[in-house]
Amino acid sequence: MSENQTKSLFKDELSESIFRAIMQLAEIEDEAQTQMTEEFLQKQTRRAFETLAYDFVTPIIMQMEKEGVEFMDIFNWSQFFDACASLYEDEHFCHQLILIPFMASSAYGLPYGRLDDDVLDLLENELTAALPGEYQLRINTDILSADHFAVSPMQMHNLVRYMVETSKPGISTMIESEESAEDVNNLVADIRLIALVVSAPNNQEIESLDHDYEATTQLQKRLGTKLRRLLRDRYVATRIDLVMEHGAPLNQYLDMVAGEEVYTEALWMAPPFILVEAGKLFRHFALKEAIGNLKQSFDLKISDLQVSVGAFFESPSVGCLALAEYRIGISKKGETKSVLQGVSWPVFNTDHVECQRVLERTLRLLGFDEANMKAVHDVFPIEDDDDDMMLFPTWDGELAEPQAPEMETTTPTPYTLN
């Protein structure tokens, strides 16, 4: 593609320079030159978010697809833009959005609305003590969902700016939950989020918070243990686990199934990366809850069930065909054309072969064996309307919407990520 053709795809020289640097980075072999290009990309992208009033990211991603960039590389660059979008700089501070995810499941509705004062006080006291004295901390009062942050990079940047400009350091309602009891009562399991904004003086980098590994690890363990206890005491009928600090039972479980797949305990991590870590854990969480729900609601044990696993690929409309997730159809033994419950198992940024091995080890640990596990070898595309009606593989390799047994009139909700 000629230089003139490339220029015509972008509205401005700044976004064009970002695209060209991304393409050049793949060709650079010198380590020093790579570092210089990465620093240039960081600087230019942050400048673009601060100075451009329109979506400059989509044209860059679209052009990468046209140039034949691999799907996983596009995924990683999308995360890069999302991470830069979660930063907002003003005259005095660089403000970073931080999310603290916790996974929750309950047959009686999930945590929502305002956090208890003892939780908010714990966060304020522990994090204020951990931050350098010149830093500022804002804590959002309301429990949020991933839907609150399912926005474009430019919208995310504007959201962080709004959070800063409409609040003062301390505890306040920067984003209202707006979830009702009815909304959360329809959820059996979900990722819940606590939102913070950490502000560093402009002459310092927020990334430096992670440089003291020992202090960060101690903070995560101390804060995670206390936060998990407070949340479990408050929501006694709810199972709760944290990404920040897994705890001994979750770590023991991961030792049995994770293999080479890495599950990171983290606190000071940009939103797109911490949400991926939450999503990787939630796959296990959701599958276990789906099996438990069938036992509790319909008295169906593992020995009564069979699972079909299908591979689902991104639509060719994005410019390439790439594995996005596995879907697990859970059915009664002997039923070949129906699904009782469905669970999605996204690949994220992990190797798809290792991801498949983790899923197989997880199913075996739950009690399934070769006789009641089946891989469906067809290639299934992810359709645009999947959010409205997600389909899962049946035992005979077709796709079906989950349907409860005839004795029950309600339809199970598929276990998927927001």
Side-chain angles (χ1 to χ4, degrees):
M1 179 173 288
S2 71
E3 184 174 344
N4 289 336
Q5 286 175 311
T6 304
K7 280 187 175 180
S8 67
L9 297 172
F10 301 103
K11 294 182 179 180
D12 59 273
E13 292 183 0
L14 183 54
S15 55
E16 182 191 348
S17 71
I18 294 169
F19 168 74
R20 290 193 175 280
I22 289 173
M23 300 304 291
Q24 290 168 5
L25 191 60
E27 306 297 327
I28 297 173
E29 297 181 359
D30 180 70
E31 185 175 342
Q33 186 65 32
T34 296
Q35 183 176 349
M36 286 179 58
T37 305
E38 289 175 345
E39 291 174 354
F40 172 81
L41 272 168
Q42 288 263 4
K43 181 179 178 181
Q44 292 294 85
T45 302
R46 287 165 70 166
R47 180 181 160 213
F49 278 116
E50 299 299 339
T51 59
L52 301 180
Y54 49 83
D55 174 17
F56 69 92
V57 175
T58 299
I60 294 175
I61 297 297
M62 290 177 64
Q63 185 58 37
M64 291 173 69
E65 292 169 353
K66 290 180 180 179
E67 294 287 328
V69 177
E70 293 289 332
F71 173 81
M72 191 52 65
D73 290 331
I74 292 176
F75 176 87
N76 290 333
W77 281 113
S78 296
Q79 285 199 302
F80 165 79
F81 287 120
D82 287 341
C84 291
S86 66
L87 287 164
Y88 162 62
E89 295 183 65
D90 60 22
E91 186 179 352
H92 302 292
F93 289 92
C94 178
H95 309 276
Q96 169 73 67
L97 174 66
I98 297 290
L99 300 177
I100 299 178
F102 65 95
M103 292 157 293
S105 68
S106 175
Y108 306 100
L110 301 184
Y112 76 103
R114 183 184 171 92
L115 288 159
D116 283 357
D117 287 342
D118 53 358
V119 172
L120 294 168
D121 290 342
L122 169 68
L123 292 168
E124 184 174 41
N125 293 336
E126 288 284 353
L127 296 177
T128 299
L131 293 170
E134 61 273 25
Y135 276 48
Q136 294 181 350
L137 173 68
R138 291 168 170 83
I139 303 173
N140 194 60
T141 58
D142 286 12
I143 299 171
L144 305 175
S145 75
D147 286 341
H148 288 91
F149 303 98
V151 295
S152 71
M154 186 60 77
Q155 289 171 320
M156 172 68 82
H157 183 75
N158 290 336
L159 177 62
V160 178
R161 179 173 185 167
Y162 170 83
M163 293 172 72
V164 171
E165 293 182 347
T166 59
S167 67
K168 295 180 179 180
I171 299 170
S172 65
T173 307
M174 296 176 283
I175 304 176
E176 289 189 44
S177 167
E178 298 182 348
E179 290 180 316
S180 67
E182 182 180 0
D183 292 332
V184 295
N185 284 339
N186 290 328
L187 294 172
V188 179
D190 195 22
I191 299 170
R192 309 272 83 189
L193 300 172
I194 301 172
L196 322 168
V197 176
V198 175
S199 306
N202 278 337
N203 61 346
Q204 299 185 33
E205 284 292 331
I206 288 180
E207 288 84 353
S208 62
L209 291 173
D210 255 344
H211 287 179
D212 190 336
Y213 175 79
E214 184 175 347
T216 300
T217 302
Q218 291 175 355
L219 171 63
Q220 288 175 200
K221 186 172 183 59
R222 183 174 65 253
L223 177 58
T225 301
K226 293 178 180 178
L227 180 59
R228 182 167 46 244
R229 184 176 65 247
L230 287 177
L231 290 172
R232 287 177 175 175
D233 288 348
R234 171 64 177 84
Y235 305 104
V236 293
T238 303
R239 179 189 166 195
I240 290 174
D241 281 310
L242 296 171
V243 176
M244 179 200 313
E245 200 274 325
H246 295 162
L250 181 53
N251 278 327
Q252 290 168 4
Y253 164 81
L254 290 174
D255 285 343
M256 292 185 282
V257 299
E260 296 180 8
E261 194 170 66
V262 177
Y263 294 80
T264 304
E265 297 173 298
L267 173 60
W268 308 122
M269 184 178 277
F273 305 116
I274 199 70
L275 289 175
V276 165
E277 292 304 319
K280 285 158 59 178
L281 281 177
F282 188 72
R283 300 176 304 188
H284 301 272
F285 200 81
L287 181 56
K288 189 173 182 179
E289 291 304 314
I291 300 298
N293 181 58
L294 291 173
K295 175 66 172 71
Q296 180 178 343
S297 301
F298 311 112
D299 196 30
L300 292 170
K301 302 179 290 295
I302 292 289
S303 58
D304 301 317
L305 302 172
Q306 60 193 14
V307 292
S308 312
V309 179
F312 284 71
F313 289 74
E314 284 287 352
S315 168
S317 65
V318 302
C320 53
L321 191 65
L323 179 63
E325 65 184 19
Y326 294 99
R327 291 188 192 171
I328 307 152
I330 308 171
S331 56
K332 290 180 67 173
K333 277 187 178 178
E335 294 289 339
T336 62
K337 298 184 181 301
S338 62
V339 174
L340 292 174
Q341 188 65 272
V343 179
S344 67
W345 193 277
V347 174
F348 294 116
N349 56 349
T350 59
D351 176 73
H352 69 91
V353 175
E354 183 59 26
C355 182
Q356 186 176 13
R357 290 171 181 161
V358 172
L359 174 54
E360 183 178 350
R361 285 191 290 266
T362 301
L363 290 169
R364 290 186 182 279
L365 186 62
L366 287 170
F368 292 98
D369 56 30
E370 288 186 6
N372 54 7
M373 287 193 301
K374 184 177 184 179
V376 179
H377 295 293
D378 286 349
V379 174
F380 299 110
I382 294 180
E383 305 293 349
D384 292 338
D385 58 356
D386 266 4
D387 288 341
D388 298 323
M389 186 182 69
M390 183 170 282
L391 303 177
F392 295 87
T394 63
W395 191 255
D396 67 1
E398 300 299 319
L399 295 179
E401 187 178 6
Q403 296 291 337
E406 291 182 2
M407 70 189 81
E408 183 66 33
T409 58
T410 57
T411 299
T413 301
Y415 286 71
T416 185
L417 301 183
N418 282 336

